[in-house]
Amino acid sequence: MDTATVKLQQRPFSIKLWPPSQNTRQMLVTRITGNLTTKSIFAQKYGILSKEEAEENAKRIEDVAFVTADKHYEMEPDGDGGSAVQLYAKECSKLILEVLKRGPAQKDRAVQASEEVAASCNNVFDISKGPRSFINAREAEDILRPLKEPGNSFSKICFSNRSFGLEAACVAQPILVAIKDQLKEVDLSDFIAGRPEAEALEVMNMFSSALEGSTLKSLDLSNNALGEKGVRAFGALLQSQSCLEELYLMNDGISEEAARAVCELIPSTEKLRILHFHNNMTGDPGAFAISDVVKRSPLLEDFRCSSTRIGTEGGIALSEALESCTHVKKLDLRDNMFGAEAGIALSKALSKHAGLAEVYLSYLNLEDEGAIAIANSLKESAPALEVLDMAGNEITAEAAPALSACVAVKQNLSKLNLAENELKDEGVIQISKALEEGHLQLNEVDMSTNSIVRAGARVLSQIVVQKPEFKLLNINGNYISDEGIDEVKEIFKKLPGMLGPLDDNSPEGCDDDEEYGENDGDQHDLESKLNNLEVKGDE
């Protein structure tokens, strides 16, 4: 054995089973076509598909299975793709069985969906129902046919959950150009799933240019992994909008640069009432750009900027921007890292939100200092507050007096969430007493994971069970004794559905969490998995 061979054998390597090559995908389409045209018990009962119908269904089946498996693989990017391959084969098998049982000469699913769309509502065209799937040119012609009918009155279109490639986009583009002047609401969320970046960007450009100049009230571009390139691909559409009232950019991978592009490309937000910016990678620098958009939106009523990796500096900037939005009714800033300093800045903005009905501030690292500032502010403002969510903020009993004073005057409160804090019995009992008088609309309280023992659980239960609209109390994950659990269950004896599960309660105050190792199972070669594809199922 020569030296080169020895080095080759010693060199570490890894095999990626996903994604499959185009040749492999075509091979599977051919095999599925064979399955659909072979005599079997299903063929005897339901009939044999023609070759043309079988080929068309085989392509659709492979497309749907690929999109499903690829989405699964995106959640496990560090794996070798073995589980994605398994899902790919399983989905193909399931869909083959559905087609065989359906039999030949059935209407194409796209045509059926088109008819359902036309019959559903006079002004809403929605193709989002049913399984996720790729759309080819022929399916696009069929499914979009109602939009071409003269005199149609569609003012809202929803293309979500269907993946458009270049061929389908070429079909859609002239149709959208023809109807753009009558459109008021456009939902393009999750409409390029599974497409290569270059193709996805071109599709977005085509849709953007087609809709440029429309006068939209609502635009949803969520779940498209836009990034800066994607945001700019929609530049023509965004820049042409001056009457937007609702804008949704959730789960779009919007970084600092992409956030700046959003700020740059939306010239006017004077009429904006709803801005949802959930689950992005904005960070503090990006928060400054979003803050500029907020500052230009004086009519903003519903602002969601949750799970965006914003820290103290960005939190302060957003809070200061919100001071000019005096019409806010719903505010959702959950799952960021504001800290106490940003919490104090936010309290100043909240003092100006007299119409606030729902406020979601969980997992912001507010600590007692930030929580007290916010509670004091809300006490003097937002008289009609219905939802107060401040879970997971490291709040202790020190903040309980301020929280109690705030809660006591919020007689419209329907939901109170203070889970995953350190209030203990002292804090929980104080807040419970604040709920004792009135609060006739209260229907849900969450005090789980607060180091509560028997006394706190008993007092809270005795108070909420008397509320006429009450539906659910969550005190799981605490340190309530067995005797305390029995007492609580007795309190809810006549209304057991109001009491949440207590399976995570730890009477001894110990940690019962168990760790489980992962067992990924044996990994197999992609080709062998697909070769073993079978149709399984009962008649």
Side-chain angles (χ1 to χ4, degrees):
M1 186 179 295
D2 58 31
T3 304
T5 302
V6 172
K7 290 182 177 179
L8 181 61
Q9 289 180 337
Q10 293 176 340
R11 184 178 302 156
F13 68 95
S14 62
I15 298 175
K16 286 284 187 181
L17 301 180
W18 193 267
S21 67
Q22 196 59 45
N23 287 338
T24 299
R25 294 183 65 183
Q26 185 56 50
M27 173 272 293
L28 185 58
V29 170
T30 302
R31 184 170 293 123
I32 294 171
T33 302
N35 279 332
L36 295 176
T37 54
T38 300
K39 291 184 178 180
S40 64
I41 57 172
F42 297 103
Q44 292 173 9
K45 185 171 183 179
Y46 303 107
I48 299 177
L49 275 68
S50 67
K51 184 178 179 182
E52 293 75 16
E53 188 177 0
E55 287 179 347
E56 184 175 336
N57 277 281
K59 291 177 182 177
R60 178 185 60 78
I61 287 169
E62 192 280 330
D63 272 350
V64 173
F66 177 84
V67 170
T68 301
D70 196 54
K71 193 70 175 179
H72 172 81
Y73 179 67
E74 288 175 5
M75 299 178 184
E76 300 179 310
D78 297 328
D80 64 3
S83 60
V85 173
Q86 289 179 330
L87 182 59
Y88 185 38
K90 181 179 178 181
E91 286 295 306
C92 283
S93 177
K94 181 184 74 173
L95 294 170
I96 291 170
L97 183 62
E98 289 178 2
V99 172
L100 287 173
K101 286 187 173 182
R102 189 185 68 194
Q106 295 291 321
K107 289 183 179 181
D108 183 271
R109 293 178 71 177
V111 175
Q112 291 176 333
S114 175
E115 292 176 349
E116 290 171 2
V117 165
S120 63
C121 183
N122 289 333
N123 63 347
V124 178
F125 181 86
D126 186 352
I127 63 173
S128 66
K129 306 298 185 282
R132 291 169 57 111
S133 62
F134 278 19
I135 294 182
N136 58 35
R138 179 177 174 180
E139 289 170 328
E141 288 280 2
D142 289 334
I143 205 168
L144 301 181
R145 185 175 289 116
L147 293 176
K148 298 171 67 175
E149 293 179 0
N152 77 77
S153 58
F154 294 118
S155 60
K156 176 180 179 178
I157 58 172
C158 177
F159 287 0
S160 181
N161 205 40
R162 301 297 179 94
S163 180
F164 284 76
L166 285 175
E167 292 182 358
C170 287
V171 172
Q173 188 175 35
I175 296 175
L176 293 177
V177 169
I179 66 169
K180 68 179 180 181
D181 289 340
Q182 71 191 54
L183 294 178
K184 298 301 178 185
E185 300 178 58
V186 170
D187 184 346
L188 298 180
S189 60
D190 193 24
F191 85 120
I192 51 166
R195 303 292 180 178
E197 181 182 292
E199 182 181 20
L201 289 171
E202 190 166 350
V203 169
M204 287 188 277
N205 269 303
M206 293 172 69
F207 274 74
S208 175
S209 61
L211 293 168
E212 181 182 5
S214 55
T215 307
L216 302 180
K217 290 185 177 181
S218 176
L219 178 61
D220 192 342
L221 301 178
S222 302
N223 301 308
N224 283 313
L226 296 177
E228 182 184 8
K229 292 180 182 178
V231 171
R232 295 196 180 280
F234 277 111
L237 172 59
L238 291 172
Q239 287 181 314
S240 69
Q241 300 305 306
S242 59
C243 297
L244 268 184
E245 295 181 13
E246 302 177 14
L247 178 61
Y248 304 89
L249 295 169
M250 298 184 288
N251 194 30
D252 275 330
I254 294 184
S255 60
E256 169 190 346
E257 295 78 13
R260 287 175 179 156
V262 170
C263 183
E264 169 194 334
L265 294 172
I266 304 179
S268 174
T269 56
E270 291 181 358
K271 297 183 179 181
L272 200 64
R273 296 183 299 102
I274 300 176
L275 176 59
H276 282 194
F277 201 73
H278 168 69
N279 197 28
N280 286 297
M281 53 181 72
T282 313
D284 280 348
F288 294 122
I290 300 304
S291 297
D292 287 341
V293 176
V294 172
K295 286 178 183 177
R296 304 198 308 258
S297 309
L299 300 182
L300 197 62
E301 297 177 3
D302 182 347
F303 179 52
R304 184 179 185 186
C305 194
S306 50
S307 301
T308 48
R309 306 182 186 181
I310 296 175
T312 298
E313 292 183 1
I316 292 173
L318 272 179
S319 299
E320 291 175 348
L322 284 166
E323 289 189 41
S324 61
C325 303
T326 57
H327 297 277
V328 172
K329 297 178 181 178
K330 183 176 180 180
L331 179 63
D332 187 347
L333 301 173
R334 285 176 283 191
D335 191 24
N336 286 298
M337 290 300 293
F338 278 28
E341 188 177 353
I344 293 170
L346 180 60
S347 70
K348 297 176 182 177
L350 294 177
S351 67
K352 301 180 180 180
H353 296 164
L356 194 63
E358 301 177 41
V359 57
Y360 301 90
L361 306 176
S362 55
Y363 307 103
L364 291 179
N365 198 30
L366 295 174
E367 301 180 335
D368 286 336
E369 187 179 7
I372 290 170
I374 287 171
N376 288 337
S377 179
L378 287 175
K379 178 188 174 184
E380 303 301 329
S381 62
L385 190 67
E386 298 173 11
V387 178
L388 177 58
D389 182 348
M390 295 179 68
N393 276 301
E394 301 182 34
I395 303 172
T396 73
E398 183 179 337
L403 287 169
S404 300
C406 174
V407 167
V409 298
K410 303 305 172 189
Q411 287 295 315
N412 290 329
L413 201 64
S414 63
K415 180 177 179 179
L416 176 62
N417 184 4
L418 292 170
E420 297 188 44
N421 284 301
E422 288 293 332
L423 289 167
K424 299 185 177 179
D425 275 22
E426 179 186 351
V428 169
I429 289 173
Q430 288 185 66
I431 295 168
S432 299
K433 292 293 185 180
L435 293 169
E436 197 164 14
E437 297 296 328
H439 294 90
L440 301 181
Q441 307 303 316
L442 190 66
N443 62 57
E444 184 175 340
V445 172
D446 192 340
M447 290 285 189
S448 58
T449 318
N450 260 292
S451 301
I452 304 172
V453 294
R454 182 177 180 179
R458 183 176 61 247
V459 171
L460 178 59
S461 298
Q462 289 171 335
I463 290 172
V464 299
V465 76
Q466 299 178 49
K467 303 302 177 184
E469 300 295 326
F470 201 74
K471 296 178 181 178
L472 181 63
L473 172 64
N474 185 1
I475 50 173
N476 208 2
N478 286 301
Y479 303 145
I480 308 168
S481 65
D482 291 336
E483 293 80 2
I485 293 293
D486 290 341
E487 287 181 344
V488 169
K489 289 182 176 179
E490 181 63 27
I491 292 169
F492 285 93
K493 184 177 181 179
K494 295 182 180 179
L495 301 163
M498 289 184 181
L499 182 61
L502 294 165
D503 52 322
D504 285 338
N505 183 64
S506 184
E508 305 301 325
C510 61
D511 188 354
D512 292 328
D513 290 344
E514 294 180 12
E515 294 181 0
Y516 296 93
E518 292 185 358
N519 180 8
D520 295 330
D522 297 330
Q523 301 298 327
H524 301 284
D525 178 75
L526 172 62
E527 295 291 342
S528 66
K529 284 185 178 293
L530 297 181
N531 283 332
N532 292 328
L533 177 66
E534 297 178 1
V535 181
K536 298 179 181 179
D538 299 326
E539 289 187 84

